[in-house]
């Protein structure tokens, strides 16, 4: 008889399949095909498409392809249900959501098996991660429902929400979308991904069981065309989308100018950074969770391994050994680590990218090439020596492929980490807490996990920087996406082009040399600058008399201003106290010149002395308010997982474009620029086109207040033309536009390039009443930093 250690050496896993009997029965009951879930009931199946089990290629169901008519019906149901749902007390809504959580929990086994059959993910993951998080999400948001009035005062639900989700975490993404929407008093039409619609349909059945009022939750299945019809529907007030950056961009364009609220959670190419002093064994387990969890089909997968040169060989050796122990195969087997890729087309995409990598001569390691003879499988793969310019380092592979690059210094690690158009997540491994936080602060990503990876919780926000999208899901951050200010709909303001054509407006440009002394120049990088065009335009008063000349800024001036703003980025790293001091100084210097500013306002606009004084007074007060706020818009520590601290940090966007309205030229300028710089952004501001001289007078206030060069840049000229350049510019991280409908639509459509965050208001704003946290929130994005503690 062998000794125990011999037995342990030879011992292998036996088969340990999870039973799929109940799911089989349910699928059999729906053999004729599934309809949509509209107005509390399933529709008769329409045109059907097949749904396959990717682990064996077998058809498991037939599901209806949602048409524009189906979308119409679902929106009509959601619209009809919304007022009543919103009118329920928070407590009543809370009970409904709580019931969903309970019922999901009761059916955990069924839902896990169904998810695994539909998606191909290992049962261990659907059972231990996906479905428990689904229940957690509904519980968490049941709480928000009952707290909504006290926690979100002066807001109301957005209305009807169109929600489109991907196939990698089908039920979890549904929970991330539906739970906050319902808690906030909205109704929803959700479209699951075409590869994985089944758990959403099972969830619909749960809605029937728990008695969610008809029309509150509607589920329409179908492909991208169904999604596009949902996005385009006039009855939708908000679109929440998770999926590829490419489709996110199309949705940004499709919703431009419609007034629909939008949140996008898109792709990623997240760095996984291992420093020399990291605990390498833990880091190896981290890599397994980062890139082989769900076969790497995770938007925040740690797909780029950046490892310190000195630790690389040791880490690679440990990784290769660990890869040999990963069990790939039947996802329903409880001892499977790596399941199936969701569909043949995805498998082919991975293979294509690998062929490109092979053509580049990259080094591949696969522990086990023997794959099941049917189904969509791809082995865990490590690619080393990858140049940052390689296609594998840049493109999101969405498969179990880790690409590794080495670095020498922490600065280089940060530079490599940020060398991507995405910014969803990052993972940092080091035993040095100072280094960990420094790197976490410098990485441009919405989530940073220190000595951990792929941690999620309903109480923490999740979402990206840059081309990974905007908006957050989870916690208070996510809830605020589903509420809007409770105020009457403001009147759209007159079109700028009409204004400019009419007298008074922007008069024909003239060569600056005609009247050099009277021309207010642009203000770029802390200096007055002649506009690139060499032209100026006459600024007229209310009776059409010329009161001065302003520089006619163009694309080149905007580009220079953006460059100057980017160079001033150390403003964002200054202490909040320092920023507050500078802002107080601005406010004081404005106060010292109150009379002069009042006179200028009167001369330009023809307003009464009283009105001018009141606008200047309000502007001074506002400047003081944001100076006060500079060190008070704190982040939060979220209550997430045991033995984790989750810090939600409010970070500046970076470079912000700000396009001011024609009206209220001083108070609008101050109300927009001051919160932006208080939070550490550097700004390119386009002041009122018709009354720009008040902003050019502001230069000297900035100069005398120690505002560092480049923090505020001012380009005068035709506002919508300059807004266009700002919207197209990839160096602009966020753009605020207050103006007319056409300008707002243009800004939103053109922002799709780098998916910059936009806030547009095509309406007349009562500036006297508008200030505070809402502006600070829009001037920042939240980074959640997760840190474990304890040994
Ligand atoms: P993935 O790469 O994860 O498949 P997609 O962005 O293609 O991501 O798909 C995510 C979701 O978006 C799916 O539900 C899909 O049907 C939907 N979708 C695809 N194209 C469009 C579109 N043009 N408009 C709206 N939704 C779309």
């Amino acid at each position: 008889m062998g000794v125990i250690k011999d037995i342990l050496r030879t011992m292998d896993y036996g088969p340990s399949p999870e039973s799929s009997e109940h799911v089989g029965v349910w699928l059999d009951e729906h053999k004729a095909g599934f309809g949509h879930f509209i107005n509390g009931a399933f529709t008769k199946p329409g045109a059907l498409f097949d749904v396959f089990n990717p682990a064996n290629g077998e058809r498991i169901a037939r599901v209806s392809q949602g048409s524009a008519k189906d979308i119409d019906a679902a929106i009509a149901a959601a619209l009809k249900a919304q007022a009543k749902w919103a009118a329920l007390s928070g407590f009543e809504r809370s009970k409904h959501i709580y019931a969903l959580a309970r019922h999901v929990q009761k059916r955990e086994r069924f839902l896990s098996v169904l998810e695994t059959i539909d998606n191909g993910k290992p049962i261990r993951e659907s059972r231990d991660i996906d479905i428990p998080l689904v229940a957690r999400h509904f519980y968490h948001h049941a709480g928000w429902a009952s707290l909504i009035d006290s926690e979100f005062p002066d807001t109301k639900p957005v209305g009807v929400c169109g929600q489109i989700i991907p196939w990698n975490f089908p039920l979890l993404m549904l929970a991330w979308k539906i739970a906050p929407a319902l808690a906030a008093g909205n109704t929803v039409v959700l479209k699951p991904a075409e590869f994985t619609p089944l758990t959403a349909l099972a969830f619909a059945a749960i809605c029937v069981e728990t008695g969610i009022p008809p029309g509150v939750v509607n589920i329409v299945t179908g492909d991208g065309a169904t999604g596009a019809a949902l996005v385009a529907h006039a009855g939708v007030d908000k679109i929440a989308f998770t999926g590829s950056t490419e489709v996110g961009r199309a949705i940004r364009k499709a919703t431009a100018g419609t007034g629909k609220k939008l949140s996008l959670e898109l792709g990623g190419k997240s760095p996984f950074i291992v420093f020399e002093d990291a605990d390498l064994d833990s880091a190896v387990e981290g890599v397994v969770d980062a890139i082989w969890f769900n076969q790497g089909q995770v938007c925040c997968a740690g797909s780029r391994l950046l490892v310190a040169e000195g630790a690389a060989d040791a880490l690679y050796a440990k990784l290769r050994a660990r890869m040999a122990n990963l069990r790939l195969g039947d996802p329903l087997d409880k001892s499977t680590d790596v399941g199936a890729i969701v569909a043949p087309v995805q498998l082919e995409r991975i293979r294509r990218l690998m062929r490109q990598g092979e053509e580049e001569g990259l080094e591949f390691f696969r522990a086990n090439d023997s794959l099941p003879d049917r189904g969509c499988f791809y082995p865990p793969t490590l690619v080393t020596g990858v140049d940052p310019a390689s296609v594998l380092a840049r493109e999101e592979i969405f498969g179990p492929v880790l690409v590794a690059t080495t670095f020498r210094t922490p600065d280089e690690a940060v530079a490599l980490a940020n060398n991507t158009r995405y910014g969803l997540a990052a993972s940092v491994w080091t035993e040095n807490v100072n280094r960990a936080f420094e790197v976490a602060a410098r990485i441009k990503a919405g989530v940073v996990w220190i000595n951990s990876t792929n941690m999620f919780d309903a109480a923490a926000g999740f979402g990206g920087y840059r081309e990974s999208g905007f908006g957050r899901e989870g916690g208070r951050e996510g809830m605020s996406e589903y509420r809007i200010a409770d105020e009457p709909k403001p009147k759209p303001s007159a079109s700028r082009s009409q204004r400019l054509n009419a007298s008074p407006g922007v008069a024909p440009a003239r060569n600056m040399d005609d009247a050099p002394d009277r021309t207010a120049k642009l203000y770029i990088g802390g200096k007055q600058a002649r506009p690139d065009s060499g032209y100026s335009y006459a600024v007229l008063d209310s009776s059409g008399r010329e009161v001065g000349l302003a520089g006619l800024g163009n694309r080149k001036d905007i580009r220079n201003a953006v460059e100057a703003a980017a160079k001033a980025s150390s403003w964002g790293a200054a202490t909040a106290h320092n920023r507050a001091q500078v802002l107080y100084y601005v406010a004081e210097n404005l106060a010292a010149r109150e009379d002069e500013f009042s006179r200028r306002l009167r001369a330009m606009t023809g307003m009464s002395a009283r009105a001018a004084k009141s606008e200047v007074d309000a502007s001074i007060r506002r400047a003081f308010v944001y100076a006060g706020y500079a060190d008070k818009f704190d982040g939060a520590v979220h209550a997430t997982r045991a033995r984790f601290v989750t810090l939600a940090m409010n970070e500046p966007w970076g470079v912000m474009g700000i396009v001011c309205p024609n009206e209220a030229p001083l108070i609008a300028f101050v109300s927009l620029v001051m919160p932006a710089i208080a939070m550490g952004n550097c700004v390119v501001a386009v002041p009122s086109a018709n009354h720009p001289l008040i902003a050019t007078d502001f230069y000297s206030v900035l100069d005398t207040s120690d505002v560092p060069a480049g923090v505020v840049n001012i380009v005068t000229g035709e506002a919508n033309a300059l807004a266009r350049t700002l919207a197209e510019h990839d160096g602009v991280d966020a753009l605020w536009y207050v103006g007319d409908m056409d300008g707002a639509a243009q800004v939103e459509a053109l922002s799709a390039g780098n998916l910059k965050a936009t806030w547009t208001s095509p309406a007349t704003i009562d500036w006297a009443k508008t200030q505070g946290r809402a502006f600070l929130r829009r001037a920042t994005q939240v980074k959640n930093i997760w840190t474990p503690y304890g040994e």
Side-chain angles (χ1 to χ4, degrees), residues 164-167 191-194 223-224 227-228 231 241-244 247 251:
I164 298 169
I165 56 173
W167 43 260
K191 191 200 82 67
E194 52 272 44
D223 59 11
V231 168
F241 172 77
T242 300
S244 60
V247 174
I251 292 178

Side-chain angles (χ1 to χ4, degrees), residues 488-504:
K489 216 176 161 140
K491 280 203 319 263
S493 59
S495 154
R496 252 194 233 283
S497 44
Q498 276 170 21
R499 249 194 103 96
L500 295 188
N501 290 339
S503 175

Side-chain angles (χ1 to χ4, degrees), residues 270-279 282-283 286-287 290 302 304-306 407 410 413-414 417-418 425-445 447-454 644 783-788:
S270 299
F272 187 104
I273 309 170
V274 182
F275 285 95
E276 213 159 335
D277 63 357
D279 170 352
S282 302
V287 169
R304 281 188 301 145
L305 173 63
L306 307 176
F407 64 84
V414 170
N418 286 335
S427 187
V428 181
W429 294 75
T430 168
E431 294 296 289
N432 176 341
V433 66
N434 298 354
R435 172 176 290 167
F437 278 102
E438 206 224 325
V439 171
R442 291 172 63 195
I443 287 181
K444 293 185 177 5
V447 186
V448 181
W449 296 292
I450 292 174
N451 293 333
S452 54
T453 197
N454 274 343
F644 266 92
K783 176 189 279 176
N784 277 279
I785 303 176
W786 291 65
T787 320

